[in-house]
Amino acid sequence: QVQLVESGGGSVQDGGSLRLSCAASGYTFRTHCMGWFRQAPGKEREVVATIYTGTGGTGYADSVKGRFTISRDNAKNTLYLQMNSLKPEDTAMYICAAHLAAGGCYPYPTVSDFHYWGQGTQVTVSS
């Protein structure tokens, strides 16, 4: 049974930093697309960042470029999201996800591209 379990969320002040982790079990995502999404109350789930675990190639939403960094430790089967210079508009539930099949990420990733999902970890940024 594949499980994705996020951790590292919390409450920070405007300009603060957090590092999220997503531990995978039940399957080793060596050559898959994995990503971080976020969903704020009353809003649709949106992609934040993606990474192809085979090469480490990454992609970011415009709203987080230069502030967030996605990375992957294949030995630990764990995905990370380093978030710096956090803003109140970054407040949301952050959820990690992975493709079902091996292969790279799509140029314009969507929710429907991803099969496995975690439960999420809450990030709250106050001004």
Side-chain angles (χ1 to χ4, degrees), residues 11-13 18 22 32 44 47 51-53 67 69 73 78 85 88 91 93 102-104 106 109-110 120 122:
S11 297
V12 295
Q13 295 286 322
L18 284 172
C22 172
H32 287 65
E44 292 188 357
V47 63
I51 187 167
Y52 174 49
T53 60
R67 301 188 298 122
T69 303
D73 186 332
T78 300
S85 302
T91 295
M93 182 72 73
Y106 303 135
T110 65
Q122 178 67 35

Side-chain angles (χ1 to χ4, degrees), residues 1 12 15 33 44 58 77 99 109:
Q1 180 181 355
V12 295
C33 179
E44 292 188 357
T58 58
N77 211 19
H99 277 196

Side-chain angles (χ1 to χ4, degrees), residues 32-122:
H32 287 65
C33 179
M34 299 188 73
W36 285 98
F37 288 74
R38 65 186 181 187
Q39 187 165 19
K43 294 189 176 181
E44 292 188 357
R45 188 169 295 188
E46 62 176 0
V47 63
V48 174
T50 60
I51 187 167
Y52 174 49
T53 60
T55 62
T58 58
Y60 296 91
D62 288 343
S63 59
V64 305
K65 279 181 182 176
R67 301 188 298 122
F68 291 11
T69 303
I70 188 171
S71 62
R72 160 79 178 171
D73 186 332
N74 282 350
K76 295 182 178 180
N77 211 19
T78 300
L79 183 71
Y80 302 99
L81 185 68
Q82 177 66 44
M83 304 186 296
N84 299 327
S85 302
L86 282 161
K87 305 175 182 179
E89 51 263 43
D90 294 318
T91 295
M93 182 72 73
Y94 283 72
I95 308 152
C96 73
H99 277 196
L100 174 63
C105 299
Y106 303 135
Y108 302 99
T110 65
V111 170
S112 60
D113 298 332
F114 292 78
H115 179 79
Y116 299 108
W117 293 89
Q119 294 298 307
T121 185
Q122 178 67 35

